[in-house]
Amino acid sequence: MEPQKKLINSADSCVDEALCGLARASGSLSLLKGHRVVLRSDLDNLRGKVALLSGGGSGHEPAHGGYIGAGMLSAAVAGGVFASPPPASILAAILCLHNAGASGVLLIVTNYTGDRLNFGLAAEQARNHGVTVEMVIVAEDCAFERPSKAGRRGLCGTVFIHKLAGALAEEGCSLDKIVSTVTEALKGIGTLGVSLSPCSVPGCLPSFDLPPGDMELGLGIHGEPGIKRSKVASADEVVKTMIDHMTNPDSQSHLSLKPGDSVVLCVNNLGALSCLEMAVVTRAAIICLESRGVVVARVMSGSFMTSLEMAGVSLTMMKANQEILKLFDAKTSAPAWPNLSSVSVSGRSYITDAPIMSTRPQDNTHPEGPLSPVMHKALERVCSTLLEKQEELNSLDRAAGDGDCGNTHAQAARAIQEWLQHHVVPGCPGQLFSVLAGLVQEKMGGSSGAMYSLFLTAAAGHVTEGQSNAAAWASAMHAGTQAVRRYGGADPGDRTMLDALCPAVDELMKLTTAPLSGQMAVLQAAVQKATVGAESTRNLTARAGRASYIAAERLTQPDPGAVAVAAILRAVLEVLEGKK
């Protein structure tokens, strides 16, 4: 097996380059020369306050470097990937904070043997240098029902401790007060992870083998396998299994949760879950907890302590009272801390009523008027024409598109015919246009349905009850065409319906000045121009619509959309001319 591909320069340099990238991208971080230590660049602000130092192996980003800032960590020390940092670097970081005038230094350490030893050694050495140092060990893993002598592992709950301790330090609390508060809070924190894939350390093979379709429950963050394997189930089932395990009173490492308890929930991406999956899991966790009568006060969902590219998630819960929530909500400038609302998640109404929309103008009844009979006749002629041309339009479309142009126009025609059987045609042309727009949007479908609906919707406002003379009809046609051009992104010459529509509308604009006696001649000329325009599309290169993806030499027939528009306009003209 090949090692997992990674976008790095080399396995040896990746940690130092990552720390450099972190510091370079931020205005508020700096690197300690000769050590893998990231510091607040405003160390002066620590004078007289307790400084916070955490750290551990790399590969868990944004932990811990992303949590440096006012209100959280003062510095973080990094080891190699999944390896404990060396005592010399930890000591250098402690002395740096001490020299900045910190009143004491709190080490926040995850419960792994290497970290305990190396941070412990550095703490002892720092005390010999006259530094006031305390150490809090985070061990909140709920995986093992009977933890070994090594105890419970420190997982994503560590980030909660960074936050609480950081808020207390920012307030100016003493080292002892911070230690006692977070030690108490730790009793109410539990974490459990589940993974659908292993991860691999840069340059190495995957950490363990997990067959496709299997998942591992209760794994750590270093690729060490968990407590049990099972087939991957639905998100809801996986979350329920996790919360059941975490709160099972028979387990020595359980978190005791009873109805009425208030918790802060952290849904932590172990590296490779998509944001979509994360949101599904977050919903499942909130619903599962609420169904047990637990009040979910806050939720953070995202990547907080990862395991390289592991496809998995961990859930951390922290029991919360008002004091804990106040510390949790306190502002911090640490870049990896999410910008959360301080409103309780449970008990909040999160659905907004939808606006009442009369989106179906075709359902409304409108009064008839003097124009109703002629518009009725014109519509019937348009429908019968489109039904006659169904096969012709399909055949033109087979050359240029997906071969259904005739079908979609026929669908619209049948929908209009059916509507005409049960409704009167409104006297106001604008209302009729709205009705037709609603019908084609719903029944025609595709981009043609959207185009016609756009055209009719934009045109509707220009022909009202009191304003339906020839000039108004011309401006309505013009407005409809402009809307199609604007939203469809096509122009005349692009081999679309516009090649028939635009020349016709340009001609119709003469109606604004034509005398009554010359109006029919303008209409006839407009229809003639639409016919010529449709025919001219034989020789055009398609630059918009689906036909634009087809080789130009294969397009020898006219564009079906343009042919349909010309046919519609001719059908209306024939009715106005009084031809049967």
Side-chain angles (χ1 to χ4, degrees):
M1 264 176 82
E2 285 290 303
Q4 172 84 24
K5 285 193 173 66
K6 291 197 164 39
L7 197 56
I8 56 174
N9 295 310
S10 79
D12 294 335
S13 69
C14 64
V15 170
D16 294 300
E17 290 174 0
L19 291 173
C20 177
L22 178 71
R24 289 299 309 268
S26 159
S28 55
L29 297 178
S30 56
L31 297 174
L32 191 56
K33 192 171 183 179
H35 297 280
R36 286 173 170 168
V37 172
V38 188
L39 299 155
R40 278 175 65 167
S41 37
D42 61 343
L43 288 177
D44 296 349
N45 288 335
L46 293 175
R47 189 165 299 283
K49 290 181 177 169
V50 172
L52 266 54
L53 174 66
S54 188
S58 296
H60 305 304
E61 293 73 20
H64 296 273
Y67 301 114
I68 299 171
M72 282 190 85
L73 299 180
S74 316
V77 53
V81 175
F82 294 172
S84 186
S89 291
I90 303 171
L91 179 62
I94 295 171
L95 293 175
C96 210
L97 299 173
H98 175 68
N99 295 343
S103 59
V105 179
L106 175 62
L107 308 183
I108 300 171
V109 182
T110 47
N111 189 28
Y112 294 97
T113 308
D115 289 345
R116 282 207 320 261
L117 288 171
N118 290 338
F119 275 89
L121 177 54
E124 290 302 324
Q125 292 168 336
R127 288 189 183 109
N128 292 339
H129 283 84
V131 184
T132 311
V133 184
E134 290 294 341
M135 185 153 113
V136 167
I137 291 179
V138 182
E140 92 295 8
D141 178 23
C142 293
F144 298 100
E145 295 185 10
R146 304 279 175 276
S148 66
K149 190 168 181 191
R152 298 161 66 182
R153 296 169 294 195
L155 302 172
C156 192
T158 313
V159 180
F160 282 161
I161 298 303
H162 292 349
K163 183 68 185 67
L164 303 182
L168 289 162
E170 195 62 27
E171 283 175 16
C173 287
S174 71
L175 186 53
D176 291 345
K177 165 84 169 119
I178 297 174
V179 170
S180 66
T181 306
V182 300
T183 304
E184 192 54 38
L186 267 168
K187 296 176 187 166
I189 301 181
T191 297
L192 187 67
V194 67
S195 180
L196 316 179
S197 81
C199 59
S200 65
V201 172
C204 305
L205 291 174
S207 50
F208 58 90
D209 192 38
L210 192 56
D214 279 14
M215 64 178 199
E216 183 97 30
L217 186 72
L219 68 180
I221 48 171
H222 302 98
E224 64 273 48
I227 45 167
K228 76 168 185 215
R229 266 192 193 181
S230 56
K231 288 283 165 226
V232 177
S234 70
D236 286 351
E237 290 171 84
V238 171
V239 165
K240 183 181 182 314
T241 301
M242 292 172 80
I243 293 176
D244 284 348
H245 185 93
M246 293 171 78
T247 57
N248 175 5
D250 297 337
S251 163
Q252 286 177 9
S253 61
H254 80 285
L255 177 68
S256 72
L257 263 195
K258 57 185 188 305
D261 282 348
S262 188
V263 298
V264 174
L265 167 69
C266 177
V267 184
N268 172 54
N269 191 342
L270 287 171
L273 283 195
S274 63
C275 294
L276 184 94
E277 291 163 283
M278 284 295 294
V280 170
V281 170
T282 301
R283 167 192 173 274
I286 295 169
I287 289 174
C288 182
L289 287 168
E290 286 180 342
S291 72
R292 296 158 164 255
V294 173
V295 176
V296 183
R298 306 281 185 275
V299 178
M300 34 199 295
S301 176
S303 301
F304 304 110
M305 186 180 275
T306 61
S307 188
L308 293 169
E309 78 289 5
M310 187 180 278
V313 64
S314 67
L315 299 179
T316 301
M317 293 182 286
M318 170 170 68
K319 290 186 175 181
N321 52 26
Q322 284 316 113
E323 185 199 0
I324 296 269
L325 287 179
K326 180 169 124 325
L327 299 172
F328 182 85
D329 290 339
K331 284 279 164 272
T332 173
S333 63
W337 185 259
N339 182 17
L340 296 176
S341 143
S342 53
V343 176
S344 177
V345 172
S346 292
R348 181 179 79 86
S349 163
Y350 64 95
I351 305 285
T352 300
D353 289 335
I356 295 159
M357 297 185 289
S358 55
T359 45
R360 294 184 48 115
Q362 59 266 38
D363 291 346
N364 304 338
T365 48
H366 303 286
E368 281 188 286
L371 289 175
S372 297
V374 67
M375 292 197 296
H376 191 290
K377 205 174 238 177
L379 268 182
E380 284 189 320
R381 176 68 61 91
V382 167
C383 293
S384 58
T385 303
L386 289 175
L387 289 166
E388 282 163 27
K389 288 193 167 284
Q390 180 171 0
E391 206 25 66
E392 181 193 335
L393 292 173
N394 278 343
S395 134
L396 290 174
D397 195 28
R398 274 193 285 277
D402 49 2
D404 67 350
C405 182
N407 295 358
T408 51
H409 280 78
Q411 264 173 300
R414 279 193 294 271
I416 293 167
Q417 282 178 334
E418 204 206 332
W419 184 85
L420 284 171
Q421 283 173 6
H422 303 100
H423 299 79
V424 300
V425 171
C428 168
Q431 287 175 341
L432 177 63
F433 279 8
S434 296
V435 166
L436 295 174
L439 285 171
V440 294
Q441 180 181 327
E442 194 174 294
K443 299 287 183 1
M444 190 174 188
S447 50
S448 314
M451 292 288 182
Y452 280 108
S453 196
L454 253 175
F455 178 93
L456 291 160
T457 304
H462 293 263
V463 271
T464 55
E465 192 93 62
Q467 186 71 19
S468 56
N469 54 19
W473 280 90
S475 68
M477 295 289 287
H478 182 259
T481 306
Q482 288 307 106
V484 170
R485 288 180 70 167
R486 181 158 73 246
Y487 295 107
D491 291 299
D494 289 345
R495 193 185 159 99
T496 69
M497 66 194 290
L498 290 172
D499 291 307
L501 191 53
C502 290
V505 170
D506 289 344
E507 188 66 28
L508 287 174
M509 288 314 283
K510 294 179 184 170
L511 288 172
T512 50
T513 53
L516 198 58
S517 56
Q519 287 180 353
M520 192 52 80
V522 174
L523 295 182
Q524 289 162 336
V527 172
Q528 187 53 33
K529 288 205 165 175
T531 309
V532 171
E535 191 52 36
S536 77
T537 57
R538 276 181 194 276
N539 312 313
L540 290 174
T541 303
R543 282 196 288 268
R546 192 172 288 162
S548 61
Y549 311 126
I550 291 172
E553 56 273 16
R554 287 184 39 208
L555 297 174
T556 54
Q557 302 271 29
D559 176 69
V563 170
V565 166
I568 291 169
L569 294 175
R570 183 162 298 283
V572 173
L573 175 67
E574 286 172 358
V575 168
L576 293 175
E577 288 176 335
K579 293 182 183 167
K580 285 283 161 264

